[in-house]
Amino acid sequence: MTKLERLRDELKVKSGRLAGIFEKCKTSEGDYDFMKTGELEGTPKDRVEKVRELNAELNGLGTQITELEEKQKLDDEIKKRNQEVVKQNRPELPGKSTPAEKQEYKSFGQRFIESKAFQKKGEVATLEDFEFKTLMSTTAGWAPESTRTGKVVDDAQRPVQVTEIFPSGNTGQAAVVYMEETTFTSNAAEAAEAGSYGESALALTERSSTVRKIATFLPVTDEQLEDEAQVSGYIDRRLRFMLMQRLDGQLLTGNGVAPNLTGVLNVSGVQTQAKGGDTVPDAVYKAMDLVRVTGRATPTYCVFHPNDWQAIRLLKTTTGAYVWGAPMDSGVQRIWGVPVVLSDAITENTGLVGDFAMHSELVTRRGIDVQISNSHSTYFVEGKQAIRADIRVALVIYRPEAFCTVTGI
């Protein structure tokens, strides 16, 4: 008995049993009272659960039977096709028979056993002893043809990691100009009737952040652009990535020397919290307090180098339990409730805590622009094209005290 036949019999028996239970337990109201049968045991709840289990078994058997039937059908179809192919391609082997006669078909193995080389049984055989002619191989037949899939595997590069945590804006000018309150003297106080009011003072200072340009270009031949459909899209995609990758790093570590942006880590007035003898989580919490108290802001993100976050993620208790979740769990990428962003563009051993949402802005003068021309150098007479891409942006840190670095982690 085959497995398929056995499963069919088992399905028939079990489905009959379940049908019998339903038949015995059916009430006049049209529902079922499973306490009416002795084939089930336990409380009414237990009996309902048993019925569900029996039904689940039937479903499982049905699934197995369907799979086996489909497999058998496929095997039969393949066998039938193979027989047809053999019949259509069976060769007429040379012999003493007349052209009208059919020569018995022999397999490769049968032909080898009947060859002179095999009959010599240990004697040195020559090529002439074999009945086979020129070997149909790669050198004597068709060379294999391989067509590219169209997939391009990009080089492993640092992805864009922090750009999205900066609020975005737009400008139509060469700089972002704004006013900063630099004097705030409050003499607000209680005053007696007919008494003098305390005089307060406010003063503003104009600040600006210059729009900077990040740019690159790539030379490519006319033939490459004309003959390969993928190349233009590939170049456009990678040039855009190059610009965004460079911008992503500048937002954190740009030194501010023109034409560089001034990244957050190099903005004057950003606070600092040294780790010292604290644990990293303690030092991060103290940095958050500096943002809250001195910066009068609310931390929205913490930025860490992946190597620094690794040490935090692997922190254990004295009993060996992981503080931030067991290894089987992905773990929440937060510290003190604040989302953590990992970036290997940030200086290692330095963390950054800040109110990115309210006190920073990435302002775009012009988005990524990609152009192509052959007017560069001698490209026109050499059949080359220069594909260039650039972007113009400014980074504004409106309140430096709303950010704090954590050093020595």
Side-chain angles (χ1 to χ4, degrees):
M1 179 180 291
T2 65
K3 182 178 180 181
L4 180 58
E5 292 171 336
R6 180 176 57 79
L7 289 175
R8 284 171 175 165
D9 289 345
E10 186 178 353
L11 178 65
K12 182 178 180 181
V13 171
K14 289 187 175 181
S15 61
R17 179 191 175 193
L18 187 59
I21 292 173
F22 273 82
E23 182 65 27
K24 291 178 182 178
C25 298
K26 187 175 182 180
T27 68
S28 58
E29 288 80 14
D31 52 9
Y32 295 93
D33 179 7
F34 293 115
M35 298 299 291
K36 295 172 65 175
T37 178
E39 292 189 51
L40 302 175
E41 298 178 351
T43 65
K45 183 178 180 180
D46 293 337
R47 296 182 178 218
V48 170
E49 187 60 35
K50 181 60 178 177
V51 169
R52 289 174 178 168
E53 290 177 3
L54 292 173
N55 190 57
E57 289 181 19
L58 295 181
N59 291 337
L61 288 171
T63 300
Q64 293 182 61
I65 290 171
T66 300
E67 291 176 351
L68 287 174
E69 288 175 341
E70 292 177 351
K71 183 177 183 301
Q72 180 174 301
K73 183 178 180 181
L74 180 61
D75 290 343
D76 291 344
E77 182 67 22
I78 292 175
K79 184 178 180 180
K80 181 179 178 181
R81 291 183 180 180
N82 287 342
Q83 290 174 343
E84 292 176 353
V85 170
V86 170
K87 184 177 180 179
Q88 293 172 1
N89 296 298
R90 180 171 294 173
E92 298 292 337
L93 299 181
K96 298 180 179 180
S97 59
T98 63
E101 296 177 334
K102 296 285 186 179
Q103 187 76 12
E104 180 185 359
Y105 175 75
K106 297 181 181 180
S107 68
F108 183 88
Q110 289 175 317
R111 294 172 62 195
F112 175 75
I113 292 173
E114 295 173 0
S115 67
K116 295 178 182 179
F118 182 82
Q119 297 297 330
K120 287 191 174 184
K121 297 183 179 179
E123 298 179 22
V124 178
T126 64
L127 291 175
E128 289 75 14
D129 292 326
F130 291 95
E131 297 178 2
F132 310 116
K133 305 303 179 182
T134 303
L135 178 65
M136 191 69 171
S137 64
T138 301
T139 55
W142 279 275
E145 181 179 359
S146 299
T147 303
R148 291 196 302 267
T149 63
K151 181 178 178 60
V152 177
V153 180
D154 294 338
D155 186 56
Q157 292 290 325
R158 177 181 63 81
V160 177
Q161 296 164 312
V162 299
T163 302
E164 290 187 357
I165 70 176
F166 291 85
S168 60
N170 294 283
T171 183
Q173 303 183 61
V176 178
V177 182
Y178 59 98
M179 303 302 294
E180 179 185 357
E181 186 179 77
T182 50
T183 298
F184 179 88
T185 303
S186 174
N187 282 317
E190 299 71 24
E193 184 178 358
S196 299
Y197 286 27
E199 182 181 349
S200 298
L202 295 172
L204 302 176
T205 302
E206 184 179 273
R207 304 293 190 197
S208 69
S209 178
T210 305
V211 170
R212 303 295 190 188
K213 180 165 63 178
I214 299 175
T216 188
F217 94 98
L218 182 78
V220 59
T221 64
D222 293 342
E223 288 81 1
Q224 185 73 176
L225 289 171
E226 292 169 359
D227 299 341
E228 178 51 57
Q230 275 190 288
V231 72
S232 58
Y234 164 72
I235 293 174
D236 180 82
R237 176 175 61 86
R238 294 306 275 170
L239 289 181
R240 290 173 183 272
F241 172 75
M242 292 175 188
L243 298 182
M244 294 307 298
Q245 183 191 56
R246 177 64 181 179
L247 172 61
D248 195 69
Q250 284 273 293
L251 295 176
L252 293 175
T253 60
N255 61 20
V257 178
N260 288 273
L261 296 171
T262 302
V264 182
L265 296 181
N266 293 312
V267 171
S268 177
V270 169
Q271 302 186 82
T272 299
Q273 173 64 48
K275 174 180 175 295
D278 293 326
T279 62
V280 176
D282 287 355
V284 171
Y285 191 84
K286 289 181 178 179
M288 290 180 178
D289 262 356
L290 287 175
V291 171
R292 294 186 184 101
V293 177
T294 304
R296 299 299 177 186
T298 302
T300 56
Y301 288 100
C302 297
V303 183
F304 292 99
H305 191 285
N307 292 340
D308 296 332
W309 179 249
Q310 172 183 274
I312 300 172
R313 180 65 178 84
L314 298 180
L315 283 175
K316 297 179 182 179
T317 65
T318 54
T319 59
Y322 287 94
V323 174
W324 305 101
M328 68 184 71
D329 302 324
S330 60
V332 179
Q333 200 158 291
R334 288 175 175 268
I335 185 167
W336 302 117
V338 177
V340 170
V341 176
L342 302 183
S343 171
D344 42 357
I346 194 172
T347 305
E348 199 166 347
N349 302 318
T350 298
L352 175 63
V353 177
D355 188 344
F356 291 84
M358 294 300 296
H359 299 291
S360 71
E361 186 176 13
L362 176 59
V363 182
T364 302
R365 173 65 177 86
R366 177 172 46 73
I368 295 177
D369 181 37
V370 180
Q371 299 183 31
I372 183 169
S373 172
N374 61 8
S375 61
H376 174 67
S377 186
T378 57
Y379 278 21
F380 179 76
V381 296
E382 294 172 352
K384 299 178 183 177
Q385 302 282 345
I387 303 178
R388 77 175 202 183
D390 61 10
I391 184 173
R392 297 183 66 200
V393 295
L395 174 63
V396 187
I397 302 300
Y398 291 110
R399 185 182 298 172
E401 297 82 6
F403 297 84
C404 184
T405 60
V406 185
T407 59
I409 61 177

